[in-house]
Amino acid sequence: MFATRINRLTSSLVRDILAAASLPGIISFAGGLPASEALFKADQNVLSQLPDDIWQYGQTEGEPALRQQVALRAKAMGIDCTAAQVLIVNGSQQGIDLVSKLMVSEGTRILTESPTYLAALQVFRLFGGEFVGTQQDEQGILPEALAGCDARLAYLVPTFQNPTGRCYSKERRQALAEAFDRHSMLVFEDDPYRDLAFDSPAPEPIVSQLNKALWVYQGSFSKTLAPGLRLGYLIMHPELMLPLTRLKQAADLHSNRLSQAIVAQVLADGSLDRHVSRILPLYRQKRDFMHACLQRHLADKAHWEKPVGGLFFWLTLHAQQDTMLLMRTALAAGLAIMPGAAFDPVPQPSATLRLNFSHASMAQIEQGVCLLAKLLD
Amino acid sequence: MFATRINRLTSSLVRDILAAASLPGIISFAGGLPASEALFKADQNVLSQLPDDIWQYGQTEGEPALRQQVALRAKAMGIDCTAAQVLIVNGSQQGIDLVSKLMVSEGTRILTESPTYLAALQVFRLFGGEFVGTQQDEQGILPEALAGCDARLAYLVPTFQNPTGRCYSKERRQALAEAFDRHSMLVFEDDPYRDLAFDSPAPEPIVSQLNKALWVYQGSFSKTLAPGLRLGYLIMHPELMLPLTRLKQAADLHSNRLSQAIVAQVLADGSLDRHVSRILPLYRQKRDFMHACLQRHLADKAHWEKPVGGLFFWLTLHAQQDTMLLMRTALAAGLAIMPGAAFDPVPQPSATLRLNFSHASMAQIEQGVCLLAKLLD
C-alpha cells in the first residue's frame, strides 16, 4: 500500500517516551529540551522591527541578511566560506532530511559514530541507508577506520556529542580531516552544541580542515536561542549548493521568514552572544549539580564522564542490565530516561543510558537521580 | 556520487524564470505570488498576544488551537473530520513532500490532471513517480479514466486549478468520488485556491464524498493570508495520521510555532474571513482587467476561459507556436510568462501559457499583455 520506506520508519518507542515525558508529574531526563528559563523570547522591541516584506514568498536559500550573519560567524570559527554557501533550514532535522535526499538511497553505506544522534539514524534508515561498523576510542572515530571503508557519507557530531557529550581533540580532527581528504568521503558535520561549552571553547570544526573532500556543516539556533523558531543552517562545499537548494525548494520552498528576520536581527545586534553568556552559567550549574547527585547516589552503580559541553550525561551501568527494560520501569515510577540502544546504529541490548540535565529543575534533578538509584537497587 | 534521485531533480528552468521575473524592470506574469497589497501582515496587536510557550519545542502534529480551528473550517466546507486528523505543515509544498514519502517510490504510478501544478510534478518525479495518461474534458478527469488504471495515488487540484483555473462541477466530484471508492485509489486533493472564488462558492471537496478510499486533503494559508508564514495543513483519513506524523517528525520535528500562533489567533477572531472579503474585490478587479486587456489585444491570437477563481489565466495560442521559445523572447523583452510545457506530466512542445494576474499592478497588466501581443505578431 505505502512506499517500502514506510516499513523502515522507526517504531514509536522514542515518540512514546517523549510523549510520556511531557505528562504532568513525570520528571524528564529523556528529551533534549532547553530549560524554559534559557529560551530566547523575542520581545516587542524585536517584533516591532520585523521588515515589512517578510509576508511574501522569500528566497529558497534564506534571507540574505541572515545568510551573511551566519557566514561571518562561521568564518570566526574557522570555516572559510561566504554567504553564497549558506542554506537556511528549519532546524537541524531538516538539514538531515535534505542531506539524506542528496546522498542516501537503498543500501547507501554511512559511517557514523556509535552511539549517535537517534533522529539522524531514523532519517538515514528511512531513505534506506545502512551503517558501517567502525573503530572508535573515547575521542571518537579513528582515522584508520576509513581505510577500506565503503561508506559514501560520514555523519559526525564531533563537538559535545549527543548522546555521549564527547568532544574530539584538535589533533584527532586534523587527522580525520586528512583521512577524509585521502578517501574523498563526503563529511556531514552536525554541530548544534558548539556554543554550549562549559569549560573551554571547542576546537575548530573538522570541515574547516578539509582540502579535497566535499562537506556539509550544520548549525542550529534551537539550543542557543529557541527551538520554536525552527531555524538552523547548512554551510557547504560550493559544489553542493545547487542540488541542496533545489531539494530545499522541493521540500517547502523556503524557511519561515518571521523566524529568519528575528534571528538575523538577534545576530546582527549581538543579542545571541549576550544570550549565550547568560545561559551558560545556568547550564554549567545544572551540569555540576547533576554530576554531584550522580556521584552521591550512583557512583557504585555506573560510570560516566562529566560532559564539557552540550546537554547530556552518558552513563554505563556496572551491571549488565538492559536499559530498555529500566526505561519502562522508570517511566512507571515517574521518571523518563533514554535507553542507550536508541542511539545505536545497530540496536542491541545495552547497559547505557542518556540523561538530559538542561530541562529539569534542580529539585527534579535531585529527585530523579535518587529515584534512578532506588530503581537500580 | 549523489543518490540517483538527484538526476531527476528538474532542470532549473522554472527557477531561472522566477529569478529573472524578480529582477527590476521585468513585468512578471510568471509566478503565483499574491499581490503585495493583499498580504496579511500581522500587526503589533497580533504579535503582542503570542503565547509565552511558543519558543520551546512543539508538537509534531501542530498547535492544538490551530488544529482545532482548521478542523472547524473543514467541517464547514463538508469534510467530516476532527482535529485529530489535522497535521500542520510548512505550506503546501511540504504536504506534497510528505505524501510523496508516504506513497511514491521508483516507478510508482500517479494519476494527475494534465497540465497540473508543476512543483507537485517535481516532487513526485524526485521520488521516482511516473505519470499515467488520463482521459479529461474541460471539467477535469473523467471517472471512466480510473477503469484499468494502475495508479496507486491520484493527485488532483479540482478547485480553480493551477494552471488552468478550472473548477470541477458538483456532479463530476460526486462521480469521481464513487469511482475512487470503487477502485480504492488514494486521493490527494490539493486545494489552496478555494477561498479565492470570484463568482460563486466552490462545490464541496471530492474527499468529503468518499466512503471507502483513503484520502488526504490539503489547504494553505499562503494565498489567503501570507506565503511568508509558510503554513498549510493536511487533513486525512485516520489511518494515515500515524505514518504522516512520523514523516513530518523526520522532516523537521514540527512547523514554526510563531506562524502557527499567529494563524490560530487570526482564525479564531475572524480576521481570516475579514481579510479574504477585503482581497476578493481586488483580485476580481485584476482578473476582469486582465481579461479585458486580453480581449483587446489577443482575441485573434489565442483563446482562454475567464477564470472563476484562483490566480491564473490559461491561454492556448491559435498558431502552433512553442511557448518555451516565446518565454525566452518575452523575457528578453522584459516580460516573464510560464510556458505550458512546464505543467505537463510528460513535457512536450505546447502552444499554451499561464499568466498570473494577482501580482502585477494594473498598469503592468496592460503593458505586459500589449507586449505579449506584439511579440506574437
Side-chain angles (χ1 to χ4, degrees):
Chain A
M1 168 68 213
F2 301 140
T4 51
R5 73 178 69 83
I6 299 304
N7 304 329
R8 296 187 300 251
L9 268 177
T10 315
S11 88
S12 56
L13 168 73
V14 172
R15 276 179 64 81
D16 290 351
I17 301 175
L18 294 177
S22 69
L23 295 177
I26 299 279
I27 296 174
S28 179
F29 298 157
L33 277 66
S36 307
E37 62 271 32
L39 295 174
F40 180 88
K41 301 179 180 182
D43 58 17
Q44 291 310 310
N45 185 32
V46 172
L47 294 175
S48 64
Q49 291 180 52
L50 293 175
D52 198 48
D53 67 349
I54 58 167
W55 310 98
Q56 188 55 277
Y57 284 107
Q59 297 178 27
T60 298
E61 296 85 348
E63 300 296 309
L66 178 57
R67 297 171 73 204
Q68 195 62 53
Q69 287 295 329
V70 166
L72 279 175
R73 294 181 75 86
K75 274 200 268 200
M77 68 173 89
I79 301 176
D80 180 28
C81 68
T82 72
Q85 289 164 266
V86 176
L87 177 66
I88 304 298
V89 294
N90 312 336
S92 301
Q93 193 66 31
Q94 187 177 51
I96 297 169
D97 178 74
L98 297 180
V99 174
S100 296
K101 282 173 174 160
L102 180 71
M103 295 299 296
V104 184
S105 309
E106 301 262 348
T108 299
R109 308 275 286 165
I110 306 169
L111 179 72
T112 68
E113 295 137 351
S114 175
T116 189
Y117 178 46
L118 69 95
L121 292 174
Q122 284 176 332
V123 180
F124 294 143
R125 279 192 197 113
L126 177 66
F127 283 95
E130 293 172 5
F131 305 106
V132 304
T134 183
Q135 296 159 273
Q136 307 186 124
D137 62 11
E138 68 292 334
Q139 265 200 53
I141 285 180
L142 292 163
E144 303 87 271
L146 273 68
C149 170
D150 60 352
R152 297 170 62 186
L153 165 71
Y155 170 78
L156 299 180
V157 189
T159 307
F160 316 138
Q161 198 227 24
N162 177 0
T164 62
R166 186 169 55 198
C167 188
Y168 289 43
S169 69
K170 189 163 177 288
E171 294 69 30
R172 177 62 61 86
R173 287 168 195 249
Q174 185 61 51
L176 270 171
E178 284 165 19
F180 284 124
D181 271 341
R182 214 158 41 236
H183 292 87
S184 296
M185 197 183 293
L186 190 145
V187 182
F188 181 17
E189 181 168 1
D190 196 2
D191 207 9
Y193 305 107
R194 169 167 293 269
D195 288 343
L196 303 184
F198 304 127
D199 301 328
S200 57
E204 295 190 348
I206 292 177
V207 300
S208 69
Q209 291 150 59
L210 293 173
N211 292 312
K212 192 170 149 247
L214 294 177
W215 56 273
V216 180
Y217 175 84
Q218 172 155 277
S220 169
F221 300 108
S222 290
K223 309 303 182 189
T224 48
L225 291 171
L229 291 164
R230 293 286 71 221
L231 224 55
Y233 56 86
L234 301 178
I235 308 176
M236 66 200 76
H237 188 285
E239 207 172 297
L240 303 180
M241 196 64 197
L242 182 63
L244 278 170
T245 303
R246 285 190 190 164
L247 287 168
K248 168 68 179 168
Q249 187 190 31
D252 59 3
L253 302 185
H254 60 79
S255 287
N256 187 282
R257 298 189 73 188
L258 281 79
S259 282
Q260 290 193 71
I262 290 171
V263 175
Q265 191 179 326
V266 160
L267 292 185
D269 70 10
S271 306
L272 172 64
D273 295 320
R274 283 193 297 276
H275 185 73
V276 169
S277 316
R278 264 199 304 273
I279 66 177
L280 270 184
L282 173 78
Y283 282 157
R284 194 182 287 117
Q285 188 188 18
K286 283 193 166 186
R287 175 200 61 165
D288 291 344
F289 186 68
M290 186 178 262
H291 184 64
C293 291
L294 288 169
Q295 283 188 307
R296 204 154 47 238
H297 299 290
L298 275 153
D300 57 336
K301 298 183 178 68
H303 56 273
W304 64 89
E305 294 283 326
K306 186 174 171 182
V308 293
L311 301 176
F312 307 103
F313 279 82
W314 180 250
L315 273 67
T316 306
L317 300 180
H318 294 160
Q320 283 300 319
Q321 192 167 355
D322 183 351
T323 51
M324 197 65 86
L325 303 175
L326 176 66
M327 177 273 291
R328 292 185 196 281
T329 324
L331 206 52
L335 173 69
I337 60 167
M338 285 300 274
F343 305 93
D344 253 343
V346 184
Q348 46 196 330
S350 158
T352 54
L353 61 153
R354 188 192 75 175
L355 303 181
N356 166 261
F357 61 81
S358 59
H359 190 62
S361 67
M362 304 291 251
Q364 288 175 321
I365 289 176
E366 168 117 62
Q367 216 183 327
V369 172
C370 234
L371 181 56
L372 184 58
K374 262 189 220 138
L375 291 168
L376 285 171
D377 274 338
Chain B
M1 168 68 213
F2 301 140
T4 51
R5 72 177 70 83
I6 299 305
N7 303 329
R8 296 187 299 252
L9 268 178
T10 315
S11 88
S12 57
L13 168 72
V14 172
R15 274 179 67 80
D16 290 351
I17 301 175
L18 294 177
S22 68
L23 296 176
I26 299 280
I27 297 175
S28 178
F29 298 157
L33 277 65
S36 307
E37 62 271 33
L39 295 174
F40 180 88
K41 301 179 181 181
D43 57 17
Q44 291 310 311
N45 187 31
V46 172
L47 294 175
S48 65
Q49 291 180 52
L50 292 176
D52 196 49
D53 67 349
I54 58 168
W55 310 98
Q56 187 55 275
Y57 284 108
Q59 296 178 27
T60 299
E61 296 85 347
E63 300 296 309
L66 179 57
R67 297 171 73 203
Q68 194 64 51
Q69 288 294 329
V70 165
L72 279 174
R73 293 181 76 87
K75 273 199 269 199
M77 69 172 87
I79 301 176
D80 180 27
C81 69
T82 72
Q85 289 163 264
V86 175
L87 178 66
I88 303 299
V89 294
N90 311 337
S92 300
Q93 193 67 30
Q94 186 176 51
I96 297 168
D97 178 74
L98 296 180
V99 173
S100 296
K101 283 173 174 160
L102 180 71
M103 296 299 297
V104 184
S105 308
E106 301 263 346
T108 299
R109 308 275 286 165
I110 306 170
L111 179 73
T112 69
E113 293 137 353
S114 173
T116 188
Y117 178 46
L118 70 95
L121 293 174
Q122 284 175 334
V123 180
F124 294 144
R125 279 191 196 113
L126 177 66
F127 283 94
E130 292 172 4
F131 305 107
V132 303
T134 184
Q135 297 160 273
Q136 307 186 123
D137 62 11
E138 68 292 333
Q139 265 201 54
I141 285 181
L142 291 164
E144 304 86 272
L146 274 68
C149 170
D150 60 352
R152 295 169 64 187
L153 165 71
Y155 171 78
L156 300 179
V157 190
T159 306
F160 317 137
Q161 200 229 22
N162 177 1
T164 62
R166 184 168 58 196
C167 189
Y168 289 43
S169 69
K170 189 164 177 290
E171 294 68 30
R172 177 62 61 88
R173 289 168 193 249
Q174 184 62 49
L176 270 171
E178 284 165 18
F180 284 123
D181 271 341
R182 214 157 43 235
H183 293 87
S184 297
M185 196 183 292
L186 190 148
V187 183
F188 181 17
E189 181 167 0
D190 197 2
D191 207 10
Y193 305 107
R194 168 166 295 268
D195 289 343
L196 303 183
F198 304 128
D199 301 329
S200 58
E204 295 189 350
I206 292 177
V207 300
S208 69
Q209 290 148 62
L210 293 173
N211 291 311
K212 192 170 150 249
L214 294 178
W215 55 275
V216 180
Y217 175 85
Q218 173 156 276
S220 170
F221 300 107
S222 290
K223 309 305 180 187
T224 48
L225 291 172
L229 291 165
R230 292 287 70 220
L231 225 55
Y233 55 86
L234 301 178
I235 309 177
M236 66 199 75
H237 188 285
E239 209 173 294
L240 303 180
M241 196 64 197
L242 182 63
L244 278 169
T245 303
R246 285 190 190 164
L247 287 167
K248 168 69 179 168
Q249 188 190 30
D252 60 4
L253 302 186
H254 60 79
S255 287
N256 187 282
R257 298 190 73 189
L258 281 78
S259 282
Q260 291 193 70
I262 291 171
V263 175
Q265 191 179 325
V266 159
L267 292 185
D269 70 9
S271 306
L272 172 64
D273 295 321
R274 283 193 297 277
H275 185 72
V276 170
S277 316
R278 265 200 305 274
I279 66 177
L280 270 184
L282 173 78
Y283 281 157
R284 194 182 288 116
Q285 187 188 17
K286 284 195 165 185
R287 175 199 62 166
D288 291 344
F289 186 69
M290 186 176 263
H291 184 64
C293 291
L294 289 169
Q295 282 188 309
R296 201 152 52 238
H297 299 290
L298 275 152
D300 59 335
K301 296 182 179 70
H303 56 273
W304 64 88
E305 296 284 326
K306 185 174 172 182
V308 293
L311 300 176
F312 307 103
F313 279 82
W314 180 251
L315 272 66
T316 306
L317 300 180
H318 294 160
Q320 284 300 319
Q321 194 167 352
D322 184 350
T323 51
M324 198 64 87
L325 303 175
L326 176 65
M327 179 272 291
R328 293 185 195 281
T329 325
L331 205 52
L335 174 68
I337 59 167
M338 285 300 274
F343 306 91
D344 254 342
V346 184
Q348 47 196 328
S350 158
T352 54
L353 61 153
R354 188 192 76 173
L355 303 181
N356 166 261
F357 60 82
S358 58
H359 191 60
S361 68
M362 302 292 251
Q364 288 175 320
I365 289 175
E366 169 117 62
Q367 216 182 326
V369 171
C370 234
L371 181 55
L372 183 60
K374 261 189 221 138
L375 291 167
L376 285 171
D377 273 337

